Each structure stands twice: as C-alpha cells, then as structure tokens.
Amino acid sequence: MAETPEARLKRMRMRSWRRGTKEMDLILGPWADAKLATMDAATLELYDRLLEENDQDLYPWVSGALPCPTEYSELLGTIADFARSRHLKL
C-alpha cells in the first residue's frame, strides 16, 4: 500500500524533529513545520533523501564546516538561512 501524501508529510515532520542529535532537531524541526506543506514534489523528494543522511554528516554540512554534496547544496543553504533567521548559532 502506497503512503498517502498526508502520511508522508507527517512522517517527514516527525523525522525532522526526532533526529539523533538535539542540534539537528532544532534545525530541521522548525524548518519542516514552516515549509513542508508548501514544498513542490521535487523538493519533497530531495528533503526525504536528506532525512536519510546521518546527523554527523548533516550538521557540518548545514553549518558550513564541511562542503555538502552538490545535490543538497541549495536545500541546505535554505535550511541554514532559516535556522540563522531564528537566531540559532551555525
């Protein structure tokens, strides 16, 4: 049985808030709450793949400590800008 669009967004939102590190919870959770419902299909697919990445990789990418894979660069830039706008120190 295929996942419904509503179930997919719920799963993605939950996975954004329940990462493995508090830092990534605080970066991805609020961003998902604010943006998931308005994302186009291609961005949702990319974000879903991003959620499969390890937090130990994600945090250095989103903070700019390490370069991220090209496929994620625009999305992670948007996420980092959102986090900075919320006064999170990245």
Side-chain angles (χ1 to χ4, degrees):
M1 185 167 160
E3 186 176 43
T4 66
E6 295 81 16
R8 181 182 192 199
L9 291 178
K10 184 177 179 179
R11 174 184 55 78
M12 292 171 74
R13 185 171 287 113
M14 185 171 160
R15 185 67 180 112
S16 296
W17 274 105
R18 297 197 175 140
R19 299 293 311 161
T21 64
K22 191 55 133 175
E23 293 85 357
M24 289 311 300
D25 292 349
L26 294 172
I27 292 169
L28 294 181
W31 189 82
D33 285 349
K35 305 294 183 178
L36 273 180
T38 61
M39 281 189 218
D40 61 41
T43 307
L44 277 173
E45 185 61 37
L46 181 62
Y47 187 64
D48 212 1
R49 286 196 311 269
L50 181 77
L51 289 174
E52 295 300 318
E53 298 288 347
N54 292 318
D55 284 1
Q56 293 78 12
D57 296 324
L58 278 174
Y59 187 77
W61 295 343
V62 78
S63 69
L66 291 175
C68 69
T70 306
E71 68 179 309
Y72 297 134
S73 60
E74 185 176 336
L75 179 58
L76 284 174
T78 302
I79 292 169
D81 289 344
F82 181 85
R84 282 186 199 97
S85 75
R86 295 185 64 247
H87 306 289
L88 292 178
K89 194 169 199 161
L90 293 180

